Amino acid sequence: MPITLRPRRGLRHPDRPVTWLNSAIAGHKVRDLEPRWQTDVLDARPDVVSILVGVNDMGRHTLAPEGHVIPVEEFAAGYDRLLAPLAEAGTS
C-alpha cells in the first residue's frame, strides 16, 4: 500500500507530495524480482527508485551451504536488466 508523506522536499514543492511504494518480498533475489519488475515498479512510473536487493543473491549460501550460489555475472546481468528501463524512462 503506498504511503504519501510530505518530507522536507514538500516544503519546496508543496504541490507534489511524495508517495513511497514498497514492493519488497522477503527472501527474493534479483531473478525473483525480474518477473514482477514491470508490474511492481515500472507501471508505477516512479521518479526515484531505491533497490534493496542483493543480500539474498550473494549471502544465502553462507547461511545454507546447500543453497544455490548465484554467480556474480548472473547477478550483475539481472541487475542491469532491472536498471535499463529505469534509465530509459529518466528515473533516478
Side-chain angles (χ1 to χ4, degrees), residues 6-26:
R6 290 196 183 271
R8 253 191 242 186
R9 182 178 174 273
L11 296 174
R12 291 190 308 266
H13 303 284
D15 57 320
R16 296 170 45 192
V18 175
T19 299
W20 300 92
L21 176 62
N22 181 349
S23 60
I25 297 178

Side-chain angles (χ1 to χ4, degrees), residues 35-54:
R36 59 190 185 84
W37 192 244
Q38 182 67 49
T39 304
D40 288 4
V41 178
L42 301 177
D43 288 351
R45 301 185 68 213
D47 294 317
V48 177
V49 172
S50 174
I51 303 171
L52 303 175
V53 68

